[in-house]
Amino acid sequence: MSTIDHYINDIVLRGAAEAREEGSAATEAHHLLLAIAAVEGTAAHRVLTAAGLGRQAVRDALHREFEHSLEAVGVSLASHDLPKTFRDPKDQPKPGASARLALERGFAAAKGKKDLRPAHLLLGVLSADVGIVPRALALAGVDRAGLMDRVRETLTRESW
């Protein structure tokens, strides 16, 4: 297996672990974003941290998005004590639609598999126009288009 294959496998496994921890039946794009933010030593990680989006900051942004979405339907986390979700540890979250699309967009952003790097996967996650990731980034005050430009610039000058 190549280095990128190991990286992709690691991101998918870490994303599934994030989904399981959240109690989700599916691994979605925001779980992949958390995984990408957790893996140090890549251009993708460096771009995220330079934008103030380390793993905890991404988690905080996702929590704000969750609160905001609940408030949109009249539910306040402050007034309700939501039970902790539970999933059987043996149940593995299945790949969700947003994660599959993010990976496809990331793969498509590369010229071919030999060109594929971690920043392509980040670009795939950030490229969604709708969904949890763009809403969370907007609520966190992140210029998603500018962040995507920095990822693209990084792809032209960094190999990993």
Side-chain angles (χ1 to χ4, degrees), residues 78-153:
S79 359
H80 294 82
D81 189 22
L82 296 179
K84 178 143 175 68
T85 56
F86 173 78
R87 291 202 38 87
D88 186 331
K90 297 175 199 145
D91 289 344
Q92 293 298 318
K94 307 291 184 247
S98 67
R100 285 192 307 271
L101 288 170
L103 290 171
E104 288 174 14
R105 285 190 303 267
F107 297 159
K111 294 177 183 142
K113 185 170 180 196
K114 291 183 186 224
D115 182 52
L116 188 60
R117 296 190 303 280
H120 288 107
L121 296 185
L122 176 57
L123 194 57
V125 170
L126 297 175
S127 294
D129 290 325
V130 296
I132 292 172
V133 171
R135 287 193 309 266
L137 294 177
L139 287 168
V142 174
D143 173 12
R144 189 173 56 90
L147 184 59
M148 289 170 53
D149 287 343
R150 287 191 294 282
V151 173
R152 286 186 196 99
E153 178 188 326

Side-chain angles (χ1 to χ4, degrees), residues 44-104:
H45 182 265
R46 287 188 291 279
V47 169
L48 284 173
T49 56
L53 292 169
R55 184 177 179 277
Q56 188 58 51
V58 170
R59 183 172 291 292
D60 293 345
L62 291 168
H63 183 74
R64 279 192 300 278
E65 188 280 333
F66 180 66
E67 282 184 316
H68 187 265
S69 293
L70 286 176
E71 288 171 1
V73 294
V75 177
S76 167
L77 278 180
S79 359
H80 294 82
D81 189 22
L82 296 179
K84 178 143 175 68
T85 56
F86 173 78
R87 291 202 38 87
D88 186 331
K90 297 175 199 145
D91 289 344
Q92 293 298 318
K94 307 291 184 247
S98 67
R100 285 192 307 271
L101 288 170
L103 290 171
E104 288 174 14

